[in-house]
Amino acid sequence: MTSIEQYKGCFLGLAMGDAFAAPFEGGPIERLLWRAIGHTSTGERRFTDDTQMAIDLTKSFLHNHRIDQDHLAQQFAQSYRWSRGYGPSTSNLLKRIKKGNCWREINKKKFKGGSFGNGAAMRAPILALCFPQDTQRLLESTIRSAEITHAHPLGIEGAKLIALVTQKALAKSPNETVLKEMLHLCESETFVDKTMYCQSALRQATLEPRTIRIHLGNGIAATDSCVTAIYFALKFRDLDFDIMLGQIIKLGGDTDTIGAMAGAIWGAFNGSATLEPKISKLERGQDIISYAEQLFQHQSL
Ligand code: 8NA
Ligand code: MG
Ligand code: MG
Ligand code: MG
């Protein structure tokens, strides 16, 4: 039986992975900018687009009891702020929705076949908190959430993998079961290859971040970050959150998003006991706990 501690661990793991790894994301200019705007006036670490979109998804689900795409698109757009560090195409989309344009119309023109960034995957752990038991409903809802901003098949596939692994983490499934179910879900050669690499890497001693970067990636594409995050969460599932995040920070690249996805899965396995003492360092930490509690209570409605 999944506990409320696992719900809180999942949401806090996402927000802390995001906020605590954000100062190390990208190149020197991004890091300098985040050093300037990455704290609240009371000194807490600010979270980025990853956590903001997870909160938006939570609010929209609690309001509608399902994924209502038009409502969710409005929710994303209303909370958009450039200073959260959204990906370029997501930023453009949300500004245009805010001006009254329809997300479906904008999306048709966005790249060819939609964005394959990791933006739909980074909020996907929340869908496992919405649908902890029913995998079919989880995957259908993940597609509906992803289509608004990341309609490319690889953007959707990455989101489905993260949602599935989070659901399995809530059930405390063994790693071998998780990997088997991932392989069953994979549609593209890229995700199959990376999942197979992850499977063999998990059988070895902890690999150097550089080796993981070369084989699994550390970039903003879903294919370069989702399996990377899953590797860290499965490798460190019975170990320390901060040590896991330290390894992710050493990877470089899209540290906040890999931290958010790995952190959420880690928290779904381990619960919130070691994370809650750190909430005073996190922007709106108490609110994050309250959202997790509301999602947990929603299960019994
Ligand atoms: P996105 O949807 O804007 O995608 C990210 C980028 O990937 C796009 O701007 C394109 O350059 C490229 N891309 C995506 N799909 C295609 C395609 N079909 N064809 C060609 N190029 C494509 O962003 P997102 O919402 O997925 O977010 C991705 C990341 O950006 C997240 O990690 C988020 O935290 C944010 N972010 C990134 C940086 C950084 O790169 N250093 C900094 C701050 C924030
Ligand atoms: Mg971010
Ligand atoms: Mg990022
Ligand atoms: Mg606080």
mmCIF file of all heavy atoms in Angstrom, residues 114-137:
data_model
loop_
_atom_site.group_PDB
_atom_site.id
_atom_site.type_symbol
_atom_site.label_atom_id
_atom_site.label_comp_id
_atom_site.label_asym_id
_atom_site.label_seq_id
_atom_site.Cartn_x
_atom_site.Cartn_y
_atom_site.Cartn_z
ATOM 1 N N GLY A 114 6.007 18.587 -33.308
ATOM 2 C CA GLY A 114 6.029 18.966 -31.889
ATOM 3 C C GLY A 114 7.408 18.895 -31.263
ATOM 4 O O GLY A 114 8.363 18.418 -31.880
ATOM 5 N N SER A 115 7.487 19.342 -29.997
ATOM 6 C CA SER A 115 8.775 19.391 -29.291
ATOM 7 C C SER A 115 9.139 18.027 -28.702
ATOM 8 O O SER A 115 8.287 17.336 -28.149
ATOM 9 C CB SER A 115 8.709 20.419 -28.158
ATOM 10 O OG SER A 115 9.865 20.328 -27.352
ATOM 11 N N PHE A 116 10.437 17.677 -28.824
ATOM 12 C CA PHE A 116 10.933 16.453 -28.162
ATOM 13 C C PHE A 116 11.763 16.792 -26.931
ATOM 14 O O PHE A 116 12.535 15.973 -26.436
ATOM 15 C CB PHE A 116 11.705 15.540 -29.119
ATOM 16 C CG PHE A 116 12.833 16.194 -29.891
ATOM 17 C CD1 PHE A 116 13.863 16.859 -29.241
ATOM 18 C CD2 PHE A 116 12.884 16.109 -31.282
ATOM 19 C CE1 PHE A 116 14.910 17.449 -29.940
ATOM 20 C CE2 PHE A 116 13.930 16.694 -32.001
ATOM 21 C CZ PHE A 116 14.934 17.362 -31.333
ATOM 22 N N GLY A 117 11.606 18.014 -26.413
ATOM 23 C CA GLY A 117 12.274 18.380 -25.155
ATOM 24 C C GLY A 117 11.732 17.532 -23.997
ATOM 25 O O GLY A 117 10.745 16.811 -24.152
ATOM 26 N N ASN A 118 12.404 17.646 -22.838
ATOM 27 C CA ASN A 118 12.001 16.815 -21.688
ATOM 28 C C ASN A 118 10.917 17.475 -20.818
ATOM 29 O O ASN A 118 10.612 17.004 -19.728
ATOM 30 C CB ASN A 118 13.221 16.436 -20.843
ATOM 31 C CG ASN A 118 14.029 17.660 -20.426
ATOM 32 O OD1 ASN A 118 13.517 18.768 -20.396
ATOM 33 N ND2 ASN A 118 15.298 17.455 -20.111
ATOM 34 N N GLY A 119 10.324 18.550 -21.326
ATOM 35 C CA GLY A 119 9.348 19.319 -20.535
ATOM 36 C C GLY A 119 8.095 18.562 -20.147
ATOM 37 O O GLY A 119 7.477 18.865 -19.120
ATOM 38 N N ALA A 120 7.668 17.583 -20.955
ATOM 39 C CA ALA A 120 6.489 16.790 -20.549
ATOM 40 C C ALA A 120 6.895 15.717 -19.551
ATOM 41 O O ALA A 120 6.119 15.371 -18.657
ATOM 42 C CB ALA A 120 5.833 16.157 -21.773
ATOM 43 N N ALA A 121 8.126 15.213 -19.692
ATOM 44 C CA ALA A 121 8.607 14.158 -18.779
ATOM 45 C C ALA A 121 8.844 14.705 -17.375
ATOM 46 O O ALA A 121 8.611 14.014 -16.385
ATOM 47 C CB ALA A 121 9.889 13.536 -19.335
ATOM 48 N N MET A 122 9.294 15.958 -17.281
ATOM 49 C CA MET A 122 9.658 16.494 -15.958
ATOM 50 C C MET A 122 8.429 16.645 -15.041
ATOM 51 O O MET A 122 8.567 16.635 -13.830
ATOM 52 C CB MET A 122 10.446 17.803 -16.087
ATOM 53 C CG MET A 122 9.675 18.994 -16.589
ATOM 54 S SD MET A 122 10.793 20.281 -17.220
ATOM 55 C CE MET A 122 9.607 21.618 -17.523
ATOM 56 N N ARG A 123 7.246 16.754 -15.602
ATOM 57 C CA ARG A 123 6.033 16.841 -14.768
ATOM 58 C C ARG A 123 5.312 15.493 -14.660
ATOM 59 O O ARG A 123 4.322 15.374 -13.935
ATOM 60 C CB ARG A 123 5.078 17.914 -15.320
ATOM 61 C CG ARG A 123 4.592 17.668 -16.746
ATOM 62 C CD ARG A 123 3.721 18.815 -17.254
ATOM 63 N NE ARG A 123 3.144 18.603 -18.565
ATOM 64 C CZ ARG A 123 3.563 19.176 -19.691
ATOM 65 N NH1 ARG A 123 4.620 19.974 -19.680
ATOM 66 N NH2 ARG A 123 2.941 18.950 -20.831
ATOM 67 N N ALA A 124 5.801 14.475 -15.399
ATOM 68 C CA ALA A 124 5.101 13.182 -15.456
ATOM 69 C C ALA A 124 5.018 12.431 -14.120
ATOM 70 O O ALA A 124 4.053 11.681 -13.920
ATOM 71 C CB ALA A 124 5.738 12.301 -16.531
ATOM 72 N N PRO A 125 5.963 12.604 -13.169
ATOM 73 C CA PRO A 125 5.796 11.907 -11.884
ATOM 74 C C PRO A 125 4.467 12.236 -11.204
ATOM 75 O O PRO A 125 3.883 11.398 -10.524
ATOM 76 C CB PRO A 125 6.986 12.397 -11.047
ATOM 77 C CG PRO A 125 8.041 12.688 -12.068
ATOM 78 C CD PRO A 125 7.276 13.294 -13.239
ATOM 79 N N ILE A 126 3.987 13.477 -11.403
ATOM 80 C CA ILE A 126 2.724 13.880 -10.767
ATOM 81 C C ILE A 126 1.569 13.013 -11.282
ATOM 82 O O ILE A 126 0.627 12.710 -10.543
ATOM 83 C CB ILE A 126 2.443 15.393 -11.046
ATOM 84 C CG1 ILE A 126 3.578 16.260 -10.484
ATOM 85 C CG2 ILE A 126 1.077 15.817 -10.488
ATOM 86 C CD1 ILE A 126 3.890 16.062 -9.018
ATOM 87 N N LEU A 127 1.652 12.608 -12.549
ATOM 88 C CA LEU A 127 0.570 11.774 -13.096
ATOM 89 C C LEU A 127 0.506 10.430 -12.388
ATOM 90 O O LEU A 127 -0.570 9.864 -12.210
ATOM 91 C CB LEU A 127 0.749 11.627 -14.612
ATOM 92 C CG LEU A 127 0.480 12.964 -15.316
ATOM 93 C CD1 LEU A 127 1.241 13.064 -16.618
ATOM 94 C CD2 LEU A 127 -1.010 13.169 -15.526
ATOM 95 N N ALA A 128 1.652 9.916 -11.942
ATOM 96 C CA ALA A 128 1.648 8.664 -11.178
ATOM 97 C C ALA A 128 0.975 8.877 -9.811
ATOM 98 O O ALA A 128 0.345 7.959 -9.289
ATOM 99 C CB ALA A 128 3.068 8.133 -10.998
ATOM 100 N N LEU A 129 1.092 10.094 -9.255
ATOM 101 C CA LEU A 129 0.393 10.393 -7.995
ATOM 102 C C LEU A 129 -1.118 10.530 -8.237
ATOM 103 O O LEU A 129 -1.923 10.277 -7.339
ATOM 104 C CB LEU A 129 0.940 11.674 -7.358
ATOM 105 C CG LEU A 129 2.440 11.688 -7.007
ATOM 106 C CD1 LEU A 129 2.810 12.998 -6.302
ATOM 107 C CD2 LEU A 129 2.826 10.504 -6.129
ATOM 108 N N CYS A 130 -1.492 10.931 -9.452
ATOM 109 C CA CYS A 130 -2.921 11.025 -9.803
ATOM 110 C C CYS A 130 -3.502 9.639 -10.082
ATOM 111 O O CYS A 130 -4.655 9.372 -9.779
ATOM 112 C CB CYS A 130 -3.123 11.893 -11.052
ATOM 113 S SG CYS A 130 -2.507 13.573 -10.920
ATOM 114 N N PHE A 131 -2.711 8.777 -10.705
ATOM 115 C CA PHE A 131 -3.193 7.444 -11.118
ATOM 116 C C PHE A 131 -2.205 6.374 -10.631
ATOM 117 O O PHE A 131 -1.468 5.789 -11.424
ATOM 118 C CB PHE A 131 -3.335 7.388 -12.653
ATOM 119 C CG PHE A 131 -4.188 8.492 -13.218
ATOM 120 C CD1 PHE A 131 -3.617 9.604 -13.816
ATOM 121 C CD2 PHE A 131 -5.578 8.422 -13.124
ATOM 122 C CE1 PHE A 131 -4.405 10.642 -14.321
ATOM 123 C CE2 PHE A 131 -6.374 9.453 -13.617
ATOM 124 C CZ PHE A 131 -5.787 10.567 -14.214
ATOM 125 N N PRO A 132 -2.183 6.123 -9.314
ATOM 126 C CA PRO A 132 -1.151 5.229 -8.775
ATOM 127 C C PRO A 132 -1.358 3.751 -9.089
ATOM 128 O O PRO A 132 -0.401 2.979 -9.021
ATOM 129 C CB PRO A 132 -1.229 5.487 -7.263
ATOM 130 C CG PRO A 132 -2.606 5.984 -7.026
ATOM 131 C CD PRO A 132 -3.021 6.716 -8.256
ATOM 132 N N GLN A 133 -2.589 3.367 -9.439
ATOM 133 C CA GLN A 133 -2.869 1.933 -9.635
ATOM 134 C C GLN A 133 -3.077 1.559 -11.099
ATOM 135 O O GLN A 133 -2.626 0.506 -11.537
ATOM 136 C CB GLN A 133 -4.157 1.537 -8.879
ATOM 137 C CG GLN A 133 -4.228 1.981 -7.438
ATOM 138 C CD GLN A 133 -3.406 1.095 -6.523
ATOM 139 O OE1 GLN A 133 -2.903 0.053 -6.936
ATOM 140 N NE2 GLN A 133 -3.228 1.508 -5.285
ATOM 141 N N ASP A 134 -3.787 2.408 -11.831
ATOM 142 C CA ASP A 134 -4.281 2.048 -13.155
ATOM 143 C C ASP A 134 -3.266 2.496 -14.230
ATOM 144 O O ASP A 134 -3.220 3.672 -14.596
ATOM 145 C CB ASP A 134 -5.646 2.743 -13.332
ATOM 146 C CG ASP A 134 -6.330 2.377 -14.635
ATOM 147 O OD1 ASP A 134 -5.643 1.902 -15.558
ATOM 148 O OD2 ASP A 134 -7.556 2.593 -14.725
ATOM 149 N N THR A 135 -2.470 1.549 -14.728
ATOM 150 C CA THR A 135 -1.390 1.918 -15.658
ATOM 151 C C THR A 135 -1.943 2.413 -17.003
ATOM 152 O O THR A 135 -1.408 3.363 -17.590
ATOM 153 C CB THR A 135 -0.429 0.727 -15.865
ATOM 154 O OG1 THR A 135 0.049 0.327 -14.586
ATOM 155 C CG2 THR A 135 0.754 1.096 -16.742
ATOM 156 N N GLN A 136 -3.028 1.795 -17.458
ATOM 157 C CA GLN A 136 -3.624 2.223 -18.725
ATOM 158 C C GLN A 136 -4.048 3.695 -18.656
ATOM 159 O O GLN A 136 -3.737 4.505 -19.529
ATOM 160 C CB GLN A 136 -4.842 1.313 -18.997
ATOM 161 C CG GLN A 136 -5.471 1.488 -20.368
ATOM 162 C CD GLN A 136 -4.491 1.144 -21.483
ATOM 163 O OE1 GLN A 136 -3.630 0.286 -21.305
ATOM 164 N NE2 GLN A 136 -4.581 1.849 -22.591
ATOM 165 N N ARG A 137 -4.743 4.039 -17.569
ATOM 166 C CA ARG A 137 -5.217 5.414 -17.379
ATOM 167 C C ARG A 137 -4.044 6.376 -17.190
ATOM 168 O O ARG A 137 -4.049 7.513 -17.659
ATOM 169 C CB ARG A 137 -6.147 5.477 -16.165
ATOM 170 C CG ARG A 137 -7.294 6.363 -16.494
ATOM 171 C CD ARG A 137 -8.416 6.349 -15.557
ATOM 172 N NE ARG A 137 -8.978 7.708 -15.582
ATOM 173 C CZ ARG A 137 -9.521 8.292 -14.548
ATOM 174 N NH1 ARG A 137 -9.591 7.658 -13.402
ATOM 175 N NH2 ARG A 137 -9.994 9.519 -14.654
#
